[in-house]
Amino acid sequence: MRRSIDVLRRARRVRDYGPPLQKNPRYRIYRGASLLLAIALSASATASEPFPAGLSASRTDLTPKDQARVLAVTRPTMDFSKPEPFELMQGGAGTSLKDVNRDTFSQSSANITFEEEATFKLGNALFRKNWVSSPSSTQASDGLGPLFNERACQNCHLKDGRGRPPEGGVGSTSLFLRLARDASNAEEKAALADHKVLNFPDPVYGSQLQDLAVPGLKGEGRMRVAYSEEKVTLGDGTMVSLRRPSYLVEHLAYGPLDPRTTLSPRLTPPMIGLGLIEQIAPADILAHADPDDRDGDGISGRPNIVRDALSGELTLGRFGWKAQAASIRQQAADAFAGDIGISTPEVPKHWGDCSAAEKDCLAMPNGVQERLGAAEAPPPVMDLVTFYSQNLAVPARRDIDKPDVLAGKKQFYEMGCISCHTPKFVTMRGTPDKAQAFQLIWPYSDFLLHDMGEGLADGQRVGGANGSEWRTPPLWGTGLTGTVNGNSFYLHDGRARTLAEAILWHGGEGQKAHDRFAGANAADRDALIKFLESL
């Protein structure tokens, strides 16, 4: 049985495509054996799996008939002569079909109700709200900081899209520096092993460098980025220049950083499709994992198992650059505390990320109003912001039937990109929000951690993610980055100025795809980019 489960997992992952796709034996295994082995997987005991007992290796929300339908519809295509059924609607029934413009990422899911649309708009207002320092006359809005990076969620997630790296050498509020160190003694190692913490903050500056402060207090310091250009020659002689960033902190206000503290830059990601990602069955994500690389293809894929802050249970991390957050609500609460300095019931830090060493910060007033609740952003605020974040629609695909886009899709498959950028999932049936239930979606991500090589390593552990691992980011909406945000910066720190540069930074588990792209002719590379731009 153990061997059968391994075969199914390899087949469902369909790793390491090499041209020609149709001759790949793993694909033939998938076509002939997936449905039969799914039954074996569902019936098997999973005690030997490296996953917590609460995370099932099979979907419990589907009948056998539905399971067969899901396996059939999510099977990777072999036909690149025409679009696949429903491919236009990459966010399922909630896909936005509105005209493409700067507000494209700010549309509500198309299948929410009229009443839910009102809730969405209230959440949007809170997402855009500028918080102010305490005390203030606008008591429902005070509590900012005392140390912070921005006053509103929207100021970081520009137009609900991605941030941008600093230009001209000065720090930017949509690119943050996370501060952390690894365990240094047995007690800390035990806390990490038990998933009680993700890592350990700097003893003075906490878990994030905050360059802004309320009146009467100094910001912690300023991030500075320097770039060096590195020339790369592709197989056909084309020259591409990649920029390598280096980071430092200037004007530290409260003494030096701990020498063990690492700096990890994090660009704010797009907000679209988060509610759909939250409703992908854990079993479907875990089915793509191969932490021990049993199939020997060089691509592992590991889940980041984290402890849910509310329930205390171990669960699957799926949000954030290192998959460190299990839910949208937790991700929002962490951002309120770390980015704006606002406490929530989930993260009740009334002074944000101020450390015990920053006594002037802790002496500042907070914004808790007892008549409103025990946090600066009480439960109704969190409910609305969470609903808004769950229902930002994925835009429809474009140009899906154009020959160059179809050719690029074929290249995407044959170069092995889908080894990590899994095209399709079907969400769970019994979701809290019906708009996300049983939807065929096309995020192009497996939501697992992959070692991306030394070139992209930040050296910072986050839970189960080591210093060179990153969660595969979803690709939907990628081609609209320039339209929405007025820039085209990619990867976790925005170093890549084009999609081609982003691919050429892939190392580690992405090295094979990198090499195939670099060795392809210009027409095939251009077609691949056209496909990515259609997402």
Side-chain angles (χ1 to χ4, degrees):
M1 182 66 71
R2 170 76 264 169
R3 185 174 181 181
S4 296
I5 294 170
D6 288 342
V7 171
L8 174 60
R9 180 161 292 113
R10 289 196 300 269
R12 292 179 72 179
R13 288 164 61 232
V14 199
R15 298 288 196 195
D16 193 22
Y17 283 96
L21 174 65
Q22 293 83 349
K23 295 182 180 179
N24 191 293
R26 289 188 190 132
Y27 193 84
R28 292 197 299 273
I29 291 173
Y30 187 100
R31 294 185 67 193
S34 59
L35 297 182
L36 292 175
L37 290 177
I39 298 171
L41 179 60
S42 301
S44 67
T46 58
S48 60
E49 293 287 0
F51 311 129
L55 292 177
S56 174
S58 60
R59 291 187 63 164
T60 58
D61 63 314
L62 301 179
T63 65
K65 182 178 180 180
D66 277 348
Q67 180 70 60
R69 289 173 60 199
V70 168
L71 286 170
V73 77
T74 57
R75 180 179 299 135
T77 186
M78 290 178 62
D79 183 1
F80 302 99
S81 66
K82 61 183 184 297
E84 295 176 70
F86 314 112
E87 191 170 5
L88 176 73
M89 306 291 283
Q90 59 180 345
T95 300
S96 172
L97 296 172
K98 294 188 177 181
D99 292 342
V100 172
N101 55 38
R102 287 208 67 200
D103 294 321
T104 291
F105 288 174
S106 300
Q107 306 300 325
S108 60
S109 299
N111 59 342
I112 62 175
T113 67
F114 181 79
E115 292 77 12
E116 288 173 332
E117 184 69 32
T119 304
F120 178 86
K121 289 178 178 177
L122 288 171
N124 183 21
L126 289 169
F127 198 78
R128 294 171 178 270
K129 174 170 113 170
N130 281 305
W131 295 80
V132 298
S133 57
S134 303
S136 78
S137 59
T138 56
Q139 293 183 355
S141 297
D142 67 347
L144 177 69
L147 296 167
F148 59 98
N149 293 106
E150 254 303 346
R151 297 175 181 270
C153 306
Q154 185 74 213
N155 295 351
C156 300
H157 297 277
L158 310 174
K159 305 291 287 185
D160 300 297
R162 72 182 69 223
R164 61 177 301 140
E167 296 295 324
V170 180
S172 166
T173 54
S174 57
L175 180 71
F176 304 123
L177 275 182
R178 292 287 174 84
L179 311 175
R181 63 173 177 82
D182 207 341
S184 59
N185 55 50
E187 182 180 0
E188 290 180 345
K189 290 178 181 177
L192 274 176
D194 197 33
H195 304 278
K196 292 180 178 178
V197 296
L198 296 172
N199 49 33
F200 299 92
D202 185 86
V204 174
Y205 294 96
S207 60
Q208 186 165 303
L209 182 75
Q210 293 159 324
D211 56 342
L212 302 175
V214 300
L217 197 66
K218 293 181 179 179
E220 292 179 319
R222 303 290 291 183
M223 172 180 60
R224 185 165 291 276
V225 188
Y227 294 104
S228 60
E229 296 287 337
E230 300 180 1
K231 302 293 184 181
V232 176
T233 303
L234 306 185
D236 61 0
T238 300
M239 188 79 70
V240 178
S241 184
L242 306 180
R243 63 175 187 173
R244 182 183 295 273
S246 61
Y247 296 88
L248 57 87
V249 180
E250 297 180 327
H251 311 302
L252 285 167
Y254 304 99
L257 289 166
D258 188 288
R260 298 169 296 174
T261 296
T262 57
L263 308 178
S264 180
R266 306 289 177 82
L267 198 70
T268 51
M271 297 287 295
I272 57 173
L274 298 184
L276 294 167
I277 294 170
E278 193 169 43
Q279 298 307 323
I280 297 173
D284 285 352
I285 294 176
L286 296 177
H288 292 266
D290 185 14
D292 299 319
D293 192 19
R294 287 193 177 108
D295 59 11
D297 65 357
I299 297 176
S300 300
R302 299 194 306 114
N304 199 355
I305 302 300
V306 298
R307 192 171 293 280
D308 184 271
L310 296 181
S311 70
E313 299 295 323
L314 292 180
T315 188
L316 179 67
R318 61 181 80 196
F319 299 105
W321 282 106
K322 300 233 177 187
Q324 71 271 14
S327 69
I328 296 170
R329 195 180 188 96
Q330 186 63 50
Q331 181 81 343
D334 290 341
F336 265 124
D339 302 344
I340 310 178
I342 296 294
S343 61
T344 61
E346 292 75 16
V347 183
K349 295 182 177 181
H350 307 318
W351 290 270
D353 194 38
C354 294
S355 72
E358 295 172 312
K359 299 186 184 302
D360 290 344
C361 179
L362 296 176
M364 291 285 180
N366 65 60
V368 175
Q369 308 293 326
E370 290 187 8
R371 63 185 178 83
L372 299 177
E376 293 162 327
V381 171
M382 286 300 296
D383 292 344
L384 291 168
V385 170
T386 300
F387 185 84
Y388 174 74
S389 302
Q390 288 171 330
N391 285 283
L392 282 161
V394 179
R397 284 279 305 279
R398 299 155 313 284
D399 303 325
I400 61 173
D401 57 351
K402 286 192 172 182
D404 54 354
V405 171
L406 290 168
K409 180 180 176 181
K410 185 172 187 288
Q411 291 299 322
F412 188 83
Y413 277 57
E414 291 190 349
M415 288 182 186
C417 303
I418 69 166
S419 294
C420 303
H421 291 282
T422 303
K424 297 173 280 185
F425 289 93
V426 172
T427 60
M428 294 183 288
R429 273 206 177 277
T431 60
D433 187 341
K434 291 182 179 179
Q436 281 104 40
F438 209 54
Q439 297 295 312
L440 172 63
I441 62 173
W442 308 66
Y444 286 93
S445 171
D446 61 7
F447 305 99
L448 297 172
L449 299 171
H450 294 276
D451 187 326
M452 295 304 294
E454 187 61 32
L456 291 178
D458 66 348
Q460 191 170 105
R461 169 190 286 273
V462 182
N466 66 37
S468 60
E469 288 180 315
W470 300 95
R471 182 202 69 156
T472 307
L475 295 181
W476 49 20
T478 294
L480 295 172
T481 299
T483 300
V484 172
N485 295 126
N487 67 71
S488 297
F489 297 110
Y490 306 100
L491 301 178
H492 68 279
D493 55 4
R495 70 177 68 186
R497 296 159 293 192
T498 66
L499 290 167
E501 286 184 32
I503 296 169
L504 292 171
W505 271 110
H506 283 48
E509 295 177 45
Q511 189 67 45
K512 288 181 180 179
H514 164 285
D515 292 348
R516 289 167 184 156
F517 178 79
N521 60 51
D524 288 344
R525 294 197 306 271
D526 291 345
L528 175 59
I529 299 302
K530 286 290 187 183
F531 167 69
L532 295 175
E533 290 174 344
S534 78
L535 297 178

